[in-house]
Amino acid sequence: MREIIWGWLSSALGLAVLVLLFVYGMQSGTWLDEVGSLRVSPPTFMVPFAIGGLGVVLFLGGLIIGLVATGERAQQRR
């Protein structure tokens, strides 16, 4: 039962990270469009890219664990 809960919880956390990163990207893109050309270069995209990658891994890993554990639990009940 713990595998199911932790699997779905980690999947939900990964999805939340991806949604928050998407909103952050929209806001920073809008800000850059409104400011126009900058005297200094904008911050690098590597940190949000790495956070997005971790969010995808967390989401997919939790989803797989949640589905596998749920399937095993259903087979045990039969």
Side-chain angles (χ1 to χ4, degrees), residues 29-50:
T30 302
W31 181 81
L32 284 173
D33 286 344
E34 290 175 357
V35 169
S37 62
L38 299 173
R39 292 187 183 121
V40 294
S41 63
T44 180
F45 69 94
M46 290 306 292
V47 172
F49 184 74

Side-chain angles (χ1 to χ4, degrees), residues 19-74:
V19 168
L20 289 173
L21 194 61
F22 179 76
V23 171
Y24 169 76
M26 283 191 332
Q27 289 179 349
S28 66
T30 302
W31 181 81
L32 284 173
D33 286 344
E34 290 175 357
V35 169
S37 62
L38 299 173
R39 292 187 183 121
V40 294
S41 63
T44 180
F45 69 94
M46 290 306 292
V47 172
F49 184 74
I51 292 171
L54 291 174
V56 167
V57 168
L58 188 63
F59 173 69
L60 291 178
L63 187 65
I64 290 169
I65 295 298
L67 290 173
V68 168
T70 302
E72 288 177 359
R73 177 95 172 171

Side-chain angles (χ1 to χ4, degrees), residues 4-5 13 15-18 26 37 44 48 55 71:
I4 296 172
I5 293 171
L13 287 173
L15 185 62
V17 166
L18 292 175
M26 283 191 332
S37 62
T44 180

